Structure formats: structure tokens, C-alpha cells
Amino acid sequence: MGLIHDKLQLLPPLLYRAITSAYYRGAVGALLVYDITRHVTFENVARWLKELRDHTDQNIIVMLVGNKADLRHLRVVPAEKSKGFAERENTFFMETSALEALNVENAFTEVLTQIYRWLARRLLMQETIPRLCLLDKGSTLETMYRLLRRADVVPVEQGLTAHYYISQNAAI
């Protein structure tokens, strides 16, 4: 996105703001990924987080993701530093390895789960009367994503099973 971002900076400020606002419009979750072997990528996270928060809803779910966890011997960004940043900025944190497929799916699943929780609180405050649909913990990301795309799906935690309420007119 760097080249595109640089070209957008050449645009008149009003046009730039309109384009960036449209880019972020409707976002309910984001993963900010940095490379644990390159400190400059971690330094840029604060700027990206500020831009994200400037252009999205205040309730956006954000996860800070340190990638390349498999390259422990090349690490330059300590996990403790990243955890501290995530706590201060009220974001979630996880380290992943795309090469080893370590925590990649977990990062997406956690963001989706947090979005569900946020939607649940929002819709319960609106006193929506839904019907019950059960999904077990083994539900695939595709199923969760398909349900998430529907604004009328909300989770309610109960015991060890995830319960999801879906409005009367939802077609699964």
C-alpha cells in the first residue's frame, strides 16, 4: 500500500480525505501486521493505528499481529514491547508465522469473535427478538465469515458452546 499511499499524498487534501474515508468506511475489524525482524515496521504501527482510528468507528476491533514468529533468531521487536503497546492502545495482540501457519487462523478467529461480541452488545441494546442457531467450536472460518456478513447475527456466550442468535428473516 506504500506506493498507493505516497501517490494519494500528492492529491489535494480534501480529495485525499474523501478517498481514505471511503477506503475505511464500514470497517468493523482490522489486523495491523508488522514484521518482528524489522523494527521499522513496528514503529509504523502507531501511525497506521492513528489513521485507522481517525477514519473508522470508535468501536472497531483491532488486533496487533507480529508476523514471522518462526524467525526467533532474527527477532528485533520483543514480544513484551508489542504486548505493552497493545495494552496501552486497547487492542488485541498475537504473534504469527505465515510460513509455519502458526496462529494465522487464530488471529482471524479472535477478531471475528470479538466482532461478534460487539455486535451482540449492540443488538441486545436494541432489544432485537431473534431465534436461536447453534454453532459448535469447530465451525469453519468460512461459516463464521458468512454469518458475520449478515448484520443480524450476534453471539451470546453460554457455557462451553458458542450460541448465535439470528433474526427471524435470516437465511443461512
Side-chain angles (χ1 to χ4, degrees), residues 25-143:
R25 186 175 299 123
V28 292
L31 287 97
L32 292 177
V33 183
Y34 69 94
D35 181 344
I36 69 164
T37 67
R38 295 182 55 224
H39 200 273
V40 69
T41 62
F42 180 73
E43 292 169 2
N44 290 331
V45 166
R47 180 176 55 90
W48 285 111
L49 183 59
K50 180 185 178 334
E51 183 168 319
L52 182 67
R53 289 185 170 155
D54 286 348
H55 296 286
T56 60
D57 183 273
Q58 67 180 6
N59 297 312
I60 189 167
I61 305 299
V62 180
M63 177 173 283
L64 179 63
V65 178
N67 194 32
K68 298 189 181 178
D70 55 294
L71 300 178
R72 294 168 208 54
H73 59 289
L74 297 176
R75 176 188 290 275
V76 295
V77 181
E80 295 75 29
K81 183 175 184 176
S82 303
K83 286 178 192 174
F85 178 84
E87 286 175 13
R88 282 190 308 279
E89 294 297 332
N90 198 27
T91 68
F92 297 92
F93 171 72
M94 190 174 293
E95 287 194 343
T96 65
S97 168
L99 181 67
E100 295 178 352
L102 172 71
N103 283 337
V104 174
E105 188 170 326
N106 291 345
F108 283 96
T109 302
E110 181 63 24
V111 168
L112 287 171
T113 300
Q114 295 303 324
I115 291 169
Y116 274 128
R117 289 179 179 155
W118 174 76
L119 285 172
R121 287 190 300 271
R122 191 175 117 200
L123 292 176
L124 288 174
M125 288 190 308
Q126 295 173 359
E127 297 181 351
T128 305
I129 302 174
R131 66 182 166 90
L132 180 65
C133 172
L134 295 175
L135 291 178
D136 61 23
K137 292 276 186 199
S139 296
T140 65
L141 276 177
E142 293 81 16
T143 303

